[in-house]
Amino acid sequence: HDLLVGTMLSRGFAGTFDFVHCPHDFDTRTANGYAFVNFLSADVAEQFRMTQNKALFPANANLTIHPADVQGFFDNVKAFLSKRQRKNMR
């Protein structure tokens, strides 16, 4: 998490995102190798994708960036609740 955020800040994206989540394995305490970033605008998200996709990450790995199927906090909450309701109906 800190490495990703630090890299984003050093590459000029300070103040352009408000949420970063890097899932990890609780048993091994290692990162799963992917992250979720919420940018404050679609334009900045696209700029990040265009400039950082396939860029070298400090851990000697190339970033591969994919936009989420659902964009925005409220739309994600709505999709989550809808999926949960469908699951409970079974």
Side-chain angles (χ1 to χ4, degrees):
H1 178 271
D2 293 341
L3 182 60
L4 175 59
V5 170
T7 301
M8 292 173 67
L9 296 176
S10 72
R11 293 183 181 177
F13 289 92
T16 64
F17 57 94
D18 62 359
F19 177 79
V20 176
H21 175 59
C22 299
H24 65 279
D25 185 301
F26 287 103
D27 294 329
T28 64
R29 297 180 186 235
T30 58
N32 289 343
Y34 59 93
F36 301 94
V37 178
N38 187 65
F39 289 96
L40 298 177
S41 77
D43 291 339
V44 172
E46 180 62 11
Q47 178 188 6
F48 184 82
R49 188 186 69 77
M50 295 295 292
T51 61
Q52 302 302 308
N53 194 40
K54 306 297 182 193
L56 187 62
F57 191 67
N60 290 327
N62 286 32
L63 296 176
T64 303
I65 300 168
H66 300 281
D69 292 334
V70 178
Q71 297 290 323
F73 176 78
F74 292 108
D75 287 340
N76 271 284
V77 169
K78 191 164 82 174
F80 173 78
L81 293 175
S82 175
K83 188 182 295 183
R84 194 162 131 189
Q85 285 175 339
R86 285 193 308 268
K87 186 177 180 181
N88 289 338
M89 295 171 98
R90 294 180 187 167

